[in-house]
Amino acid sequence: MTLSLVAALALTAAPAKPQPFTIQDQVSMRRISTPSVSPDGKRIAFVLRSTDLEANKGRTDLWLVNADGSGLRQLTSSPESEAQPVWSPDGQGLYFLSSRGGSRQVFRLPLDGGEAQAVTKLPLDVGAFALSGDGKTLAVALEVYPDCATLECSTQRQKEKAQGKSTGQVYDKLFVRHWDTWGNGKRSHLFVLPVDGSAAPRDVMVGMDADGPSKPFGGPEEFTFTPDNKGLVFTARDVGKSESWSTDLDLFLAPVDKAGTPKKLTEKNRATDTQPVFSPDGKTLAYLAMSRPGYEADRLRVVLRSWPEGKERVLAEQWDRSAGSLTWSPDGKSVLVTADDIGHHRAFSIDVASGQVTAFSGPGYAAEPQPLPDGRIAFLRDDLKAPADLYTVRADGSELRQLTRVNEEAMSRLRFGDYEQFEFPGWNGETVRGYVVKPVDFDPKKKYPVAFLIHGGPQGSFGNHFHYRWNPQTYAGRGYAAVMVDFHGSTGYGQGFTDAIRGDWGGKPLEDLQKGLEAAVKRYSFLDGDKVCALGASYGGFMINWIAGQLPERFRCLVNHDGNLDERLAYFNTEELWFPEWEHGGTPWENPEGYTKHNPIDHVAKWKTPMLVIHGGQDFRVVDTQGLSTFTVLQRRGIPSKLLYFPDENHWVVKPANSIHWHETVLDWLDQWTKSAKKPAVAPAR
């Protein structure tokens, strides 16, 4: 018997007086994701993540709520995590992934009562899955050896390798390692098999030296069955030895009921094509596509392809935003997408006939919109003062309704800082925007130290979003005002604004950051412009190193998480070569000036600002030697510095205990350098 969320939350009595938000509160927040609307549109299944601090990990369960917000109930409570709820065509059951039983497999839960039953019992873990429209066939992603013709071949080879005594691995092409994983010769391939288990799984990508879905972040959104259930359309980057410097993801069509070589559907486009979704009438395939090869942050356009003829057109070509989270309305007259937009992440409806774009989600961060038969749209929404919950709204943006309050008890005992968006003339006088988050218990008569947060990407945004790694409320709860600037290169302000950072990493963005900070200090009298610490990760970490050499007197302290010190050497360390080749205009031997133009290592003689350096040992995007080198410079020159190293984290810090340690170390560092009335004396660098 499951415990309702309301009852579960009632077990913990709220304190008499709400307390300022802390990192302990942040890691303990329940996180809602993956809403899935039933075929009749009356119910919505979703995933809810809770944190087990004792086990130092998150765990996920399936929940269900009626489309009007009533009937909230927990569906699963296994000690193992569940994910990816998919409705059966008749709406009587939910398929999902679970690791119960020791292996990640597809299960089915009948909603009229009864226990979940395993649908697959494969010898390998299922990474993602899709269910055909008639409910008879599954497509599952399995890690196999691409030259193996059968699943048995892969499992036998895996067994033999495990029994071998040598640990050596031979490589003859890149990737040797990717994101946080060393290559082991396997690929994620898509297999099809009957739901009833009447036939063995068959690899529809046999022989392809490619991953489906793509790595490291691809999921079930990258493959789908055709309307007649006889084919599978999937995304893969099948480019041979150029994989580590190519962004050429394509759509392929593979037969389901017989062996055959997948057909490439997007041969003409050498840039990214992804997220295929068929219209309700089966006559149109929608997908997202970039146009410039080698550029991972190019604008994703919505492409409509007549099916099966193949005639294509770009929908809303003049709309200067990059689309994501693609789905169709029930009547097929519009598609729903999300996109960064002027410091928010909104949900939009695009009319198929006219291309007219209408935002319906309002301010904040909208995600995973799902249409309902009555014309309303379900979606997830959060903002800088509230974690995500499930909402519905009309397509014109009216009648917003909140369906869940998954952190109601936690929110009742917490206080947050208010926030405000501001704008200023940045580089070349162009309008640049940012946010200020006030400290908790704000007093307009007081002056507050500033945490100046610099986002990564660099094509990203620090917008109106409740972030679980870089949340300004953790600083507001400690008594800091947070300032965030979306400099040139940020997303959501037009593709030209995003493109402007290419070849100019230390130019326009630094000017925007300087002008943005000074504009905020001038506009908001409560900001203490003398007590500012700058913090950044990834590109933001690069910028911290760049600031150290360009503005050595401006900040009380700096925090550099996973940032490059030497752009030239970073090219030879990293794994996704398309990124530096695009950003710096070629390879280091073709265009050395692109790597030396704004290279922090060439300015370390000017460094003097105290810096905290943080790095993850499993970060193969920005390799840990960059962080260690940064710390070496600081120590050798006698600059006050600390190194926080996580051997088990990648580019992000995600384990609960590590996240707490990260934030406590960072906040203590800020306290050390901003709490004194005068700027602390720093020994001359040598």
Side-chain angles (χ1 to χ4, degrees):
M1 185 173 183
T2 59
L3 187 67
S4 74
L5 181 60
V6 174
L9 297 177
L11 293 177
T12 304
K17 182 181 179 181
Q19 301 298 307
F21 182 75
T22 68
I23 180 54
Q24 286 78 10
D25 298 310
Q26 179 172 303
V27 300
S28 298
M29 286 284 180
R30 293 176 171 89
R31 308 183 195 182
I32 186 172
S33 65
T34 328
S36 180
V37 177
S38 63
D40 62 7
K42 296 181 179 180
R43 295 168 293 176
I44 305 171
F46 60 89
V47 174
L48 190 64
R49 180 191 186 273
S50 58
T51 300
D52 186 338
L53 290 175
E54 183 66 27
N56 195 28
K57 67 178 183 179
R59 59 177 304 274
T60 55
D61 291 300
L62 303 185
W63 288 70
L64 188 68
V65 66
N66 293 331
D68 62 1
S70 65
L72 178 68
R73 64 187 176 106
Q74 185 174 349
L75 295 176
T76 64
S77 56
S78 168
E80 304 299 334
S81 290
E82 272 88 31
Q84 200 191 322
V86 174
W87 289 87
S88 61
D90 61 9
Q92 299 303 305
L94 275 175
Y95 291 83
F96 63 97
L97 288 180
S98 177
S99 298
R100 58 179 76 184
S103 176
R104 187 176 167 94
Q105 300 293 321
V106 180
F107 284 74
R108 184 183 186 277
L109 177 69
L111 295 182
D112 57 358
E115 293 295 321
Q117 300 294 322
V119 177
T120 61
K121 297 180 181 179
L122 301 169
L124 301 173
D125 287 345
V126 177
F129 78 98
L131 181 67
S132 62
D134 59 10
K136 296 180 179 180
T137 309
L138 283 172
V140 296
L142 305 174
E143 293 279 332
V144 297
Y145 295 99
D147 60 331
C148 277
T150 64
L151 188 57
E152 291 74 17
C153 168
S154 285
T155 55
Q156 179 61 30
R157 187 179 300 180
Q158 179 175 279
K159 181 179 178 181
E160 292 171 353
K161 287 198 172 189
Q163 293 174 342
K165 294 182 179 181
S166 172
T167 58
Q169 177 73 42
V170 176
Y171 300 92
D172 60 5
K173 65 182 181 65
L174 299 174
F175 296 110
V176 171
R177 56 185 184 176
H178 193 192
W179 186 249
D180 60 5
T181 304
W182 285 86
N184 59 7
K186 293 182 180 180
R187 290 289 199 171
S188 177
H189 274 200
L190 294 168
F191 286 72
V192 292
L193 69 157
V195 170
D196 62 12
S198 59
R202 185 175 58 79
D203 187 352
V204 301
M205 298 174 62
V206 66
M208 290 182 67
D209 192 11
D211 291 303
S214 63
K215 292 182 178 180
F217 303 122
E221 74 284 353
E222 291 191 353
F223 57 99
T224 186
F225 284 91
T226 57
D228 61 6
N229 306 301
K230 294 181 179 180
L232 188 73
V233 177
F234 63 91
T235 306
R237 177 170 43 225
D238 189 21
V239 293
K241 288 184 176 292
S242 65
E243 183 176 13
S244 70
W245 57 90
S246 171
T247 60
D248 187 14
L249 278 74
D250 284 294
L251 298 185
F252 294 82
L253 172 63
V256 167
D257 55 356
K258 60 183 178 180
T261 302
K263 176 185 177 183
K264 186 183 293 188
L265 300 178
T266 52
E267 180 74 41
K268 294 180 180 179
N269 186 25
R270 304 305 299 273
T272 293
D273 303 285
T274 188
Q275 294 193 37
V277 185
F278 282 98
S279 60
D281 63 8
K283 295 181 179 180
T284 306
L285 174 66
Y287 66 95
L288 301 179
M290 297 181 180
S291 62
R292 287 177 283 183
Y295 186 18
E296 69 176 19
D298 195 13
R299 180 162 72 96
L300 281 166
R301 298 159 171 83
V302 179
V303 178
L304 302 181
R305 179 187 180 103
S306 62
W307 193 264
E309 295 84 3
K311 185 178 179 180
E312 294 187 341
R313 67 182 176 98
V314 176
L315 182 62
E317 176 63 74
Q318 301 307 311
W319 183 51
D320 199 6
R321 294 293 182 268
S322 187
S325 194
L326 179 64
T327 190
W328 286 86
S329 64
D331 60 10
K333 293 183 178 180
S334 61
V335 294
L336 309 180
V337 300
T338 60
D340 284 346
D341 185 53
I342 316 295
H344 303 271
H345 189 78
R346 305 183 197 272
F348 300 85
S349 174
I350 307 178
D351 184 76
V352 169
S354 66
Q356 180 177 346
V357 181
T358 303
F360 61 81
S361 64
Y365 192 97
E368 303 184 71
Q370 299 286 311
L372 301 171
D374 64 357
R376 297 183 67 83
I377 301 168
F379 67 104
L380 299 176
R381 180 195 174 278
D382 66 75
D383 59 37
L384 279 166
K385 286 184 69 174
D389 267 301
L390 187 60
Y391 291 76
T392 64
V393 70
R394 292 198 176 279
D396 61 2
S398 65
E399 296 184 23
L400 181 69
R401 299 174 186 169
Q402 186 172 351
L403 303 188
T404 64
R405 289 174 172 81
V406 299
N407 288 292
E408 186 172 27
E409 186 275 332
M411 296 295 286
S412 71
R413 57 179 172 79
L414 296 173
R415 301 199 305 278
F416 296 87
D418 290 329
Y419 62 92
E420 180 179 326
Q421 191 175 30
F422 69 98
E423 62 181 48
F424 60 93
W427 173 82
N428 200 34
E430 296 179 6
T431 299
V432 178
R433 294 173 174 84
Y435 279 93
V436 167
V437 180
K438 298 178 181 178
V440 174
D441 298 328
F442 172 71
D443 182 346
K445 298 178 182 179
K446 292 183 178 180
K447 288 273 191 179
Y448 294 93
V450 178
F452 189 49
L453 308 182
I454 303 173
H455 72 68
Q459 294 86 3
S461 173
F462 264 162
N464 192 3
H465 177 37
F466 197 87
H467 205 288
Y468 281 99
R469 293 189 308 279
W470 285 84
N471 192 326
Q473 293 291 352
T474 60
Y475 303 92
R478 187 74 164 239
Y480 290 87
V483 177
M484 304 170 289
V485 170
D486 269 357
F487 47 81
H488 277 79
S490 300
T491 52
Y493 305 92
Q495 192 61 42
F497 192 90
T498 301
D499 294 345
I501 197 171
R502 186 188 188 193
D504 197 27
W505 274 27
K508 292 185 283 291
L510 180 61
E511 184 174 337
D512 289 343
L513 290 167
Q514 289 179 268
K515 290 182 175 179
L517 177 58
E518 300 314 315
V521 169
K522 182 178 180 180
R523 177 170 179 169
Y524 301 102
S525 60
F526 59 87
L527 298 179
D528 190 335
D530 180 55
K531 296 181 179 180
V532 185
C533 284
L535 309 84
S538 194
Y539 169 82
F542 157 89
M543 180 54 72
I544 292 299
N545 281 342
W546 185 243
I547 283 173
Q550 304 303 308
L551 306 173
E553 303 284 353
R554 177 63 186 91
F555 296 98
R556 288 280 185 101
C557 68
L558 303 171
V559 178
N560 170 2
H561 176 101
D562 289 11
N564 280 338
L565 174 66
D566 185 352
E567 281 302 307
R568 184 175 183 275
L569 186 59
Y571 175 89
F572 300 98
N573 290 154
T574 194
E575 83 287 18
E576 294 180 350
L577 298 180
W578 63 74
F579 178 72
E581 289 184 14
W582 177 271
E583 294 298 321
H584 300 317
T587 66
W589 54 90
E590 294 169 329
N591 182 29
E593 295 80 8
Y595 291 80
T596 58
K597 180 180 179 182
H598 296 130
N599 201 8
I601 201 170
D602 294 330
H603 301 272
V604 296
K606 295 178 284 185
W607 286 17
K608 61 177 64 176
T609 312
M611 187 188 299
L612 169 64
V613 182
I614 309 173
H615 223 103
Q618 298 301 307
D619 185 357
F620 304 150
R621 178 77 155 153
V622 177
V623 182
D624 59 359
T625 51
Q626 293 284 333
L628 295 170
S629 299
T630 300
F631 186 60
T632 297
V633 170
L634 294 161
Q635 289 285 297
R636 183 64 181 86
R637 302 202 65 244
I639 300 171
S641 52
K642 287 184 179 180
L643 171 68
L644 175 58
Y645 185 78
F646 293 102
D648 55 346
E649 296 285 5
N650 56 34
H651 202 50
W652 304 330
V653 174
V654 295
K655 294 182 179 179
N658 287 347
S659 181
I660 292 172
H661 190 184
W662 189 101
H663 283 84
E664 288 178 341
T665 304
V666 168
L667 289 168
D668 286 347
W669 183 253
L670 267 61
D671 288 349
Q672 177 182 344
W673 296 102
T674 64
K675 294 303 184 183
S676 60
K678 295 183 179 180
K679 191 172 184 179
V682 176
R686 60 181 185 272

